[in-house]
Amino acid sequence: MKQTQNWRLKLAKFMKGRYGFFDSLNKLLMILAIISLLLPVRFLTWIAYGLIILAYYRFFSKRIYVRSNENQKYLVQQNKVIRRFKNTKAAFQDRKSYVYFRCPECKQTIRAPKGKGKIKVTCSKCKHQFVKKV
């Protein structure tokens, strides 16, 4: 019992001031490493080992703010991808009642109801007006 408690104290002392979080970026690195290890390509095995080392480096790093910022940048990119897939899914589900097109000036995606003929559209982002047949 005392050895376990002593071991826990040593581990807590070692981890003090270290990042120590298994965050979203570390999860991605470990998942990619596992997938790379499962594939029978020798080159991918070395990449998998590198990803595992990188995940452990991030976990034991004393540069907490840097690791946190890396994770925040990853989450921003992840949310962009997720948002794009959700928008594509919504556009596909609404394809019978709405037409999606882009503003010629700022490339903002605009939605208009189908079957209205020629309409004058004002972009909500750049306020550019143009005529579109829907």
Side-chain angles (χ1 to χ4, degrees):
M1 182 73 172
K2 188 164 181 141
Q3 285 180 331
T4 307
Q5 189 177 18
N6 192 18
W7 183 80
R8 285 184 184 172
L9 289 173
K10 285 182 181 180
L11 183 62
K13 186 177 178 182
F14 174 74
M15 290 302 291
K16 187 176 181 180
R18 296 184 187 272
Y19 186 59
F21 292 114
F22 198 68
D23 57 9
S24 299
L25 183 55
N26 272 354
K27 287 178 187 174
L28 175 72
L29 292 172
M30 294 304 279
I31 288 170
L32 290 175
I34 291 170
I35 291 171
S36 298
L37 285 173
L38 293 176
L39 297 175
V41 180
R42 187 96 171 151
F43 176 70
L44 290 178
T45 305
W46 288 104
I47 291 176
Y49 291 145
L51 292 173
I52 291 170
I53 290 169
L54 180 61
Y56 274 104
Y57 172 76
R58 291 188 76 252
F59 187 80
F60 291 115
S61 175
K62 288 190 173 188
R63 299 177 68 191
I64 296 170
Y65 296 112
V66 175
R67 302 292 87 85
S68 180
N69 288 339
E70 288 172 353
N71 189 50
Q72 287 300 317
K73 287 178 185 177
Y74 165 71
L75 290 175
V76 166
Q77 294 302 317
Q78 180 187 32
N79 287 336
K80 284 182 183 178
V81 171
I82 289 172
R83 192 176 328 116
R84 174 171 262 179
F85 277 109
K86 283 184 179 180
N87 289 343
T88 304
K89 180 182 175 186
F92 182 76
Q93 289 174 342
D94 293 342
R95 71 187 183 280
K96 293 187 179 184
S97 54
Y98 292 100
V99 175
Y100 288 85
F101 51 91
R102 294 198 175 266
C103 171
E105 292 291 317
C106 66
K107 308 301 183 211
Q108 171 74 24
T109 302
I110 301 171
R111 181 179 81 163
K114 269 189 174 179
K116 298 289 183 179
K118 283 188 174 182
I119 59 172
K120 187 175 185 180
V121 180
T122 303
C123 177
S124 61
K125 187 176 180 182
C126 69
K127 308 298 183 209
H128 176 69
Q129 293 182 347
F130 56 98
V131 176
K132 184 76 175 174
K133 184 180 177 185
V134 290

